[in-house]
Structure formats: structure tokens, C-alpha cells
Amino acid sequence: QEHLVAALPGVDHVLAKRLLQRFKSVEGVFTANEKELMEVQGIGKRKAERIRKVIQSMYSEEKLG
């Protein structure tokens, strides 16, 4: 669970633990809105925006060569 959350932009394992402690599950973290994310120590507006952007963005395969 920590590894999944730590894969979010700007989130290390310490911050992943804080997020999981606050939201209780990976799903809780992934469904939290920006305001809720910013309630966690270490997450400001910019980081919350980046997290929500990557969670909400549609998947797009990069074209190689």
C-alpha cells in the first residue's frame, strides 16, 4: 500500500504513511479531494493539485520511435 501511494508525484514513503494513516486505505487516498489532501502535513496546494491531476488523467501510451 505504501509503495502504491509513494508512486504519486512528490510523495515519499514518509508522506505515504501519513496519507494512509489519515485516509485508512489506498482508495481513500486516491479519492480524497485537494482540500482533504492538504490536511496532511507535508502536502500543500501545489502537491495536492499534482496528485489529483495524475489520478484523474486519462491513460495515454507514449508513442516510441
Side-chain angles (χ1 to χ4, degrees):
Q1 290 172 315
E2 287 178 28
H3 290 290
L4 282 172
V5 176
L8 293 167
V11 177
D12 60 13
H13 284 276
V14 172
L15 197 48
K17 280 186 179 189
R18 287 184 197 153
L19 286 162
L20 287 164
Q21 288 169 344
R22 165 65 171 83
F23 298 108
K24 308 299 182 204
S25 67
V26 173
E27 181 178 23
V29 174
F30 281 32
T31 59
N33 63 38
E34 286 181 28
K35 183 179 177 184
E36 292 169 325
L37 290 169
M38 290 174 16
E39 294 172 357
V40 175
Q41 180 186 356
I43 299 193
K45 183 164 180 60
R46 181 176 232 145
K47 194 173 288 187
E49 288 172 350
R50 290 176 59 211
I51 290 169
R52 289 304 311 155
K53 183 178 179 179
V54 76
I55 289 170
Q56 293 174 317
S57 294
M58 298 298 274
Y59 175 71
S60 174
E61 286 188 64
E62 291 183 9
K63 304 292 182 193
L64 301 177

